[in-house]
Amino acid sequence: ELKVEQNPLFLSMQEGKNYTIYCNYSTTSDRLYWYRQDPGKSLESLFVLLSNGAVKQEGRLMASLDTKARLSTLHITAAVHDLSATYFCAVDRQGAQKLVFGQGTRLTINP
Amino acid sequence: NAGVTQTPKFRILKIGQSMTLQCTQDMNHNYMYWYRQDPGMGLKLIYYSVGAGITDKGEVPNGYNVSRSTTEDFPLRLELAAPSQTSVYFCASSFPPGRSYEQYFGPGTRLTVT
């Protein structure tokens, strides 16, 4: 059974600081997704990582994928308040885009 | 394009009642999905469909049924609602793997069963 674990589950940080969210998964998969969710809202796609060594960046967010370690990271650089949200990673089960989600990381960025 | 739309936005059901959650997409996507999200948790796949007339179970299908008679629509049926089905339900759609790997989510339906 595919399991996806994120850590930390809660993260409170100050503006201007850097931090990393980790996403581990238990069985082989070639695709990993990162989503953002604001309270009471739907999911917004951030990144789709398709292969080992993939790195994608958008603004202050950078995601990477190591399929051998079954690990993805979401790095936040010089955090700003607008990045406060819950971040989910998800792994594609059996290649049919049937996503298995982690529990989410609730990120709070304080001025 | 409206993308993925869901109705209703909110609903309160009594135990034992039934209802259908509607989902429509206008992006000509072959694949459609239903997920549920319990408070403080990630999403879990209920059912999915790879095309009209084809559906299959996901991780948590018990208590639900689906049908896919058209490319655009993928309704989710709850029979005999139970408190454990209180959740937020998200519909999503995508092209087949290889053409695109993006999955587009609807705004969600918040369901309470009391």
Side-chain angles (χ1 to χ4, degrees):
Chain A
E1 180 188 351
L2 174 56
K3 293 187 178 179
V4 182
E5 294 184 347
Q6 289 181 236
N7 72 84
L9 298 183
F10 299 92
L11 178 55
S12 180
M13 53 193 291
Q14 287 185 312
E15 280 191 327
K17 300 290 187 182
N18 303 333
Y19 210 82
T20 301
I21 299 171
Y22 297 89
C23 175
N24 289 91
Y25 53 98
S26 59
T27 62
T28 301
S29 176
D30 291 329
R31 281 187 288 278
L32 190 131
Y33 299 72
W34 284 98
Y35 290 93
R36 168 182 172 147
Q37 187 178 40
D38 292 307
K41 303 292 187 182
S42 187
L43 277 73
E44 174 191 350
S45 177
L46 296 174
F47 303 108
V48 182
L49 303 171
L50 300 179
S51 60
N52 186 43
V55 177
K56 290 195 172 180
Q57 182 164 5
E58 180 74 34
R60 300 176 189 273
L61 301 178
M62 183 174 72
S64 66
L65 178 62
D66 181 344
T67 58
K68 293 177 183 176
R70 298 177 187 163
L71 171 68
S72 180
T73 60
L74 180 67
H75 187 72
I76 302 150
T77 301
V80 294
H81 179 70
D82 285 352
L83 290 178
S84 297
T86 299
Y87 293 84
F88 291 95
C89 65
V91 176
D92 184 350
R93 187 168 69 128
Q94 299 177 338
Q97 299 202 70
K98 299 183 292 183
L99 301 185
V100 178
F101 283 79
Q103 274 187 286
T105 296
R106 186 176 297 180
L107 175 63
T108 303
I109 299 170
N110 304 304
Chain B
N1 286 352
V4 180
T5 57
Q6 294 182 236
T7 56
K9 287 187 168 53
F10 304 93
R11 183 73 185 269
I12 298 174
L13 280 182
K14 294 190 184 303
I15 294 171
Q17 289 185 320
S18 301
M19 76 166 293
T20 299
L21 283 68
Q22 301 292 346
C23 175
T24 300
Q25 54 88 14
D26 63 358
M27 296 175 281
N28 203 29
H29 287 163
N30 307 83
Y31 285 33
M32 295 187 75
Y33 314 83
W34 275 106
Y35 294 90
R36 61 176 284 175
Q37 184 179 29
D38 297 332
M41 303 296 287
L43 281 66
K44 292 189 176 181
L45 183 65
I46 305 171
Y47 270 97
Y48 69 101
S49 169
V50 299
I54 306 169
T55 63
D56 206 350
K57 297 177 181 179
E59 295 177 80
V60 289
N62 291 344
Y64 307 94
N65 280 301
V66 293
S67 59
R68 183 99 181 267
S69 57
T70 67
T71 300
E72 296 79 18
D73 301 307
F74 190 39
L76 177 72
R77 178 84 177 161
L78 277 72
E79 305 281 1
L80 299 174
S84 61
Q85 293 178 305
T86 294
S87 192
V88 181
Y89 292 83
F90 290 100
C91 180
S93 69
S94 72
F95 286 116
R99 178 172 174 181
S100 167
Y101 297 100
E102 287 285 352
Q103 204 165 118
Y104 298 84
F105 285 82
T109 294
R110 188 174 297 269
L111 176 67
T112 302
V113 181
T114 62

